[in-house]
Amino acid sequence: MPKINDVALAAGVSTATVSRVLNNSKTVNAELADRVRVAAHQLGYRPNGIARSLRRRSSDVIALIINDVSNPFFTAITRGVEDVAQRSGYSVLLCNTDEDPGKEATYLRVAEQQQVAGVILSPNTATSDVSRLFNAQVPLVVIDRTLNEPVDSVMVHSLNGAEAATQHLLASGWKRPACVAGPREASTASDRLHGFLEAVRQHGNLEELYEYAPFTQEGGANAAKSLLDLPTPPDSLFVANSQMALGVLDEVRRRGLRIGYDIGIITFDDAPWAPFISPPMSVVAQPAYEVGRRAAELLMERVISGTPLEPREVTLSTTLILRESSKRLPA
Amino acid sequence: MPKINDVALAAGVSTATVSRVLNNSKTVNAELADRVRVAAHQLGYRPNGIARSLRRRSSDVIALIINDVSNPFFTAITRGVEDVAQRSGYSVLLCNTDEDPGKEATYLRVAEQQQVAGVILSPNTATSDVSRLFNAQVPLVVIDRTLNEPVDSVMVHSLNGAEAATQHLLASGWKRPACVAGPREASTASDRLHGFLEAVRQHGNLEELYEYAPFTQEGGANAAKSLLDLPTPPDSLFVANSQMALGVLDEVRRRGLRIGYDIGIITFDDAPWAPFISPPMSVVAQPAYEVGRRAAELLMERVISGTPLEPREVTLSTTLILRESSKRLPA
DNA sequence: CTGAAAGCGCTAACAG
DNA sequence: CTGTTAGCGCTTTCAG
C-alpha cells in the first residue's frame, strides 16, 4: 500500500501538498495539483483513514446503534439515516444491540474508540451510560426511547397512538381489551402501556389487563399465552410492537381463535406484512423513515457546525391505520 | 480524555508498561500491573482505538456488508455473524448497500480505510471490486452471491431449492408456472431462475415464463404484473425472495386472485410472516443464521491465525417447507 | 522485567 | 503558494 510520502515523491512535491490536494484545499497551484492527482492515481494510493482520524480526531463515519435489526421499524429508520448521511458524505455503521445492555456498552465504546463523527442511539434503558461520548464531545442524538440526559432526541408520541388504538378497540365493540406490553425498561413500552391504560380508565368499569414481555416474537407469544389463560380472558389485544404481534398471531392461531369474532387485535408498527395476513392487521404506524431522517439531520448539524447547541427535541406523531383485525364482526 | 501517558505518570511507570498491562502481557510484575490498573481506572482511561489501530495496522472490528437490511434473510445472517464475532471479542459493523454498487464501493473503501480486521461481503455482482481489500491483505469471506475471485465463501445451493419448489408446484397440479426472478446481476437470482427452468424443462411441453426484477417488494409487484398481464397468464408463481413475495401478494390481491384456486405461490426465504399470511406461504427456506455463523467462523480463523490459507468454499442446503399457498385446491 | 525511543500515516501550524 | 516539521496516542523493538 503506497503512503502519502510515496505520492509526494512521485509527484515531486511535499506530503503537505499532497494532503492539500487530496483534501481539496483551494490554495494549490493547478499544475502541481494535477501532478499529485496523476501520481496518486498511478500508484493506486488510498489515504489511510485511521491515520487521518488520529490526526483530525474524527472520522467521516457515524454510528447508528439500534436494538433489533430484524425489526422493520429500525430498518426503516436506518434508511432515513443513511439517506441524509450519504448526502453529507458520511457513511453509517449500523450496530445491533439485540436489547442487550452489554452489547450496547460495547458499541458505545467502539464508537468512542473509533472516533466516529457522531452517534444516533436507541438506548436500551433510560439510564444507558453515554457519559464517555459526552466527555469525548461526540455529537449524539437519541431516538425512539428516552434517556435521562439532556440530549438531542427524535421521539414518536407513543402514548397518543396507544390511546387511540385502544379507544378504537373499545369503539368497535370489544369489551375486554388487554395490552401485550414491551419490556418495563423501555420508555416506549411504558408509554404505550400508559396510553392503553388511559383509554381503559376513560371508558370506565374495565379491568386493567396487561403483561410485560420482551419486544420479540417469543415475548409476544408468551404474553398472549398468559393473558388468554386468564380465568376470564380478554376479548381483544393491543400489542406494543410488530415483532410481538407475530408471536401473538401464533398463539391465537394455535388456540383456534378467529380474529374478528373471538378476538380483536391491533398492534404498533406498520410492518410490511401487516396488510397481507389474514385478516389484514390494523396498526398504529410510526413514521420510522422520518425518525431516521430527522435524527440524522440533527446530528449532521452538530457534526458539521461543531458549535455547541441547546439540546433539541422533536416529537412525531403516529397514524392509526384501520384494517380488519381490530373490527368486531357480527357472529 | 486521559492518554496513556497520563496513566503512566500516575502509576509511576513508563507508557510501555501501561500498554503491556492493558494488553494482558504476562510479563509484568504483579504489583506494577496493579498500580497501572488502579491509575487507569481512577483516571477513567480508555485506550484510543484509532491510535492503537494505526500502530497495529488492524482493529478489533469486522465489517458485514449486505445488500438489504430490511430483508429478514440478511438480518438472520447478521445474528449468526454477531454471535461468533462476539465470542472472539470482535464487534461487527453492519453496512447496508441497498443493492447500490456505489454504496458497496464506498463501504469497501471505508472497511479498508478503517482497517477493519476482516470483512464479510454479500457482493452486488460477481464483478464487485475487492482488489483493494485483497492488496491490503484484509481477510474476506463472501456470502450469498458468488464473486469471480478465489475467496472463502459460504453459499446456499439455490438451484436445487428452486428446482424442488418448481417440481412441487407441478406435482401439485399447476399447469403453467412462471418465475418472478431477481436481478440479472445477482448470482442467486440466476441460480434460482435456472433451477426453475430446469424443472420446467424436465416436465416438458411448458413455456418458459419468467421476469427479471429487483429484489424488492416493488420489483416483485411489477414482475407479477407483467406476468399476469400476459395473454395466457401463468397459473402459479415461483418467487425468488421474500421481499418480492410481498409485492406479488399485493398484486395478486389487487386482482382478486384466490391463492390455491386461481393461483399457486411458493417463494424463497422463510420470512417470519410466512406462516401467518392467508393462506400460509410455502417456502424454500435458507439456513440464514448458519450462513452467518459459518462465514464468521471462516473469517475469524483467518483473522486470528493470520496465516494464508487456501480459499475454502462451504455450500449449505435449502429446505422445502410446504404450507398452503402452493397447494392446488379442488374448485 | 522495564524503559527509551522510534515510528504507524497523516494533517496543520508555521515559516519561507 | 509550498515545504518543513511536529505531533495525534499507541505499540513494540531494542537495550539495559
Side-chain angles (χ1 to χ4, degrees):
Chain A
M1 290 281 88
K3 339 190 297 178
I4 198 170
N5 194 37
D6 300 322
V7 179
L9 251 37
V13 298
S14 73
T15 60
T17 298
V18 175
S19 176
R20 288 190 188 102
V21 173
L22 271 28
N23 291 292
N24 300 315
S25 164
K26 286 280 142 231
T27 67
V28 181
N29 177 295
E31 194 235 335
L32 280 196
D34 276 346
R35 258 160 53 199
V36 168
R37 268 187 285 267
V38 169
H41 185 259
Q42 282 186 344
L43 296 174
Y45 170 73
R46 291 294 161 117
N48 179 322
I50 292 287
R52 167 183 286 173
S53 297
L54 179 59
R55 184 60 232 235
R56 287 213 188 139
R57 307 156 122 13
S58 167
S59 64
D60 54 358
V61 160
I62 68 173
L64 170 57
I65 307 178
I66 61 179
N67 299 303
D68 181 6
V69 260
S70 53
N71 183 342
F73 170 65
F74 287 114
T75 58
I77 286 178
T78 302
R79 287 241 146 59
V81 171
E82 281 174 343
D83 285 350
V84 354
Q86 196 188 18
R87 214 171 298 137
S88 308
Y90 285 76
S91 299
V92 8
L93 265 20
L94 197 55
C95 309
N96 178 38
T97 68
D98 240 337
E99 301 278 5
D100 174 345
K103 285 198 191 181
E104 179 180 87
T106 299
Y107 282 119
L108 249 13
R109 190 161 37 69
V110 169
E112 180 202 351
Q113 294 188 349
Q114 296 295 310
Q115 240 137 75
V116 298
V119 358
I120 297 178
L121 169 71
S122 170
N124 267 301
T125 74
T127 57
S128 290
D129 181 16
V130 296
S131 61
R132 304 211 60 100
L133 286 187
F134 192 78
N135 289 337
Q137 314 239 49
V138 178
L140 168 68
V141 4
V142 161
I143 56 174
D144 186 45
R145 306 185 190 173
T146 58
L147 198 64
N148 291 341
E149 307 267 342
V151 287
D152 283 357
S153 66
V154 181
M155 299 291 152
V156 175
H157 208 314
S158 280
L159 196 142
N160 284 358
E163 195 176 339
T166 311
Q167 278 162 351
H168 158 70
L169 244 24
L170 260 7
S172 301
W174 300 104
K175 304 297 184 199
R176 195 171 161 75
C179 176
V180 173
R184 272 189 174 66
E185 316 79 57
S187 68
T188 44
S190 65
D191 285 353
R192 290 167 202 177
L193 176 57
H194 286 129
F196 166 83
L197 291 175
E198 187 61 36
V200 160
R201 282 168 197 154
Q202 275 171 21
H203 192 270
N205 244 12
L206 254 27
E207 207 175 328
E208 297 181 359
L209 262 24
Y210 58 89
E211 186 77 28
Y212 287 112
F215 270 144
T216 60
Q217 183 164 347
E218 201 190 348
N222 290 337
K225 202 171 298 181
S226 310
L227 256 8
L228 294 171
D229 276 343
L230 251 27
T232 316
D235 69 353
S236 52
L237 263 15
F238 162 64
V239 186
N241 92 349
S242 68
Q243 307 284 84
M244 301 184 93
L246 250 11
V248 168
L249 247 21
D250 201 18
E251 186 60 26
V252 161
R253 222 177 38 157
R254 171 164 297 123
R255 292 173 187 244
L257 263 23
R258 296 160 309 162
I259 299 173
Y261 297 94
D262 308 316
I263 194 160
I265 305 183
I266 187 166
T267 181
F268 240 75
D269 296 340
D270 192 22
W273 48 258
F276 302 112
I277 61 160
S278 168
M281 182 72 88
S282 295
V283 304
V284 180
Q286 297 192 77
Y289 179 89
E290 207 60 11
V291 169
R293 195 177 64 74
R294 298 297 298 273
E297 284 170 357
L298 291 182
L299 188 70
M300 284 298 117
E301 270 179 49
R302 260 182 213 280
V303 166
I304 290 167
S305 80
T307 53
L309 305 161
E310 282 295 292
R312 294 155 299 172
E313 198 162 314
V314 356
T315 306
L316 306 174
S317 301
T318 58
T319 314
L320 197 56
I321 300 181
L322 267 17
R323 290 195 268 246
E324 306 296 325
S325 66
S326 57
K327 302 215 171 127
R328 183 154 205 218
L329 275 14
Chain B
M1 290 282 89
K3 337 190 298 174
I4 197 171
N5 194 38
D6 300 324
V7 179
L9 252 37
V13 298
S14 72
T15 60
T17 299
V18 175
S19 176
R20 289 190 188 101
V21 172
L22 269 30
N23 292 292
N24 300 315
S25 163
K26 287 278 145 234
T27 66
V28 181
N29 178 295
E31 193 235 334
L32 280 197
D34 275 347
R35 256 159 53 198
V36 168
R37 271 188 282 270
V38 168
H41 185 258
Q42 282 186 344
L43 295 174
Y45 170 73
R46 291 293 161 116
N48 178 321
I50 292 287
R52 166 183 286 172
S53 298
L54 179 60
R55 182 61 231 234
R56 287 216 187 136
R57 313 163 101 59
S58 168
S59 64
D60 53 359
V61 161
I62 69 174
L64 170 57
I65 307 179
I66 61 179
N67 298 303
D68 181 6
V69 259
S70 53
N71 183 341
F73 171 65
F74 287 113
T75 57
I77 286 178
T78 302
R79 287 242 146 58
V81 171
E82 280 172 343
D83 286 351
V84 355
Q86 196 188 19
R87 215 170 299 137
S88 308
Y90 285 76
S91 299
V92 8
L93 265 18
L94 198 54
C95 309
N96 178 37
T97 68
D98 239 337
E99 301 278 5
D100 174 344
K103 285 198 192 179
E104 179 180 86
T106 299
Y107 281 120
L108 249 12
R109 189 161 39 68
V110 168
E112 179 201 350
Q113 294 187 350
Q114 295 297 310
Q115 242 137 73
V116 298
V119 359
I120 297 178
L121 168 71
S122 170
N124 266 301
T125 74
T127 57
S128 290
D129 181 17
V130 297
S131 61
R132 304 212 59 100
L133 285 187
F134 192 78
N135 289 336
Q137 315 239 48
V138 178
L140 169 68
V141 5
V142 161
I143 55 173
D144 187 42
R145 306 184 190 174
T146 57
L147 197 64
N148 291 340
E149 308 265 343
V151 287
D152 283 358
S153 66
V154 181
M155 300 292 152
V156 176
H157 208 315
S158 280
L159 197 142
N160 283 359
E163 196 177 338
T166 310
Q167 278 163 350
H168 159 71
L169 244 24
L170 261 7
S172 301
W174 300 103
K175 303 296 184 200
R176 194 171 161 75
C179 175
V180 173
R184 273 188 173 66
E185 317 78 57
S187 67
T188 43
S190 64
D191 285 353
R192 289 165 204 178
L193 176 56
H194 287 129
F196 166 82
L197 291 175
E198 188 60 35
V200 160
R201 283 169 197 154
Q202 276 171 22
H203 192 268
N205 244 9
L206 253 26
E207 206 175 328
E208 296 181 0
L209 261 26
Y210 58 89
E211 184 78 26
Y212 287 111
F215 270 143
T216 60
Q217 184 165 347
E218 203 190 345
N222 290 336
K225 203 170 301 181
S226 310
L227 257 8
L228 294 171
D229 277 343
L230 252 26
T232 315
D235 70 351
S236 51
L237 263 16
F238 162 62
V239 187
N241 93 347
S242 68
Q243 308 282 83
M244 301 184 94
L246 252 10
V248 168
L249 247 21
D250 202 16
E251 187 58 26
V252 161
R253 224 181 33 161
R254 172 165 297 124
R255 294 176 183 241
L257 263 25
R258 295 161 309 161
I259 298 172
Y261 299 95
D262 308 317
I263 195 161
I265 304 182
I266 187 166
T267 182
F268 239 76
D269 296 339
D270 191 24
W273 48 259
F276 302 112
I277 61 160
S278 166
M281 182 71 87
S282 295
V283 303
V284 180
Q286 297 193 76
Y289 179 89
E290 207 61 10
V291 169
R293 196 177 63 73
R294 299 296 298 274
E297 284 170 357
L298 292 182
L299 189 71
M300 284 297 119
E301 270 179 47
R302 262 183 211 280
V303 166
I304 290 167
S305 81
T307 53
L309 305 163
E310 282 296 293
R312 293 152 302 170
E313 198 162 315
V314 356
T315 305
L316 306 175
S317 301
T318 58
T319 315
L320 197 57
I321 301 181
L322 268 16
R323 292 195 267 246
E324 305 296 325
S325 66
S326 57
K327 302 218 172 123
R328 183 152 204 220
L329 276 13

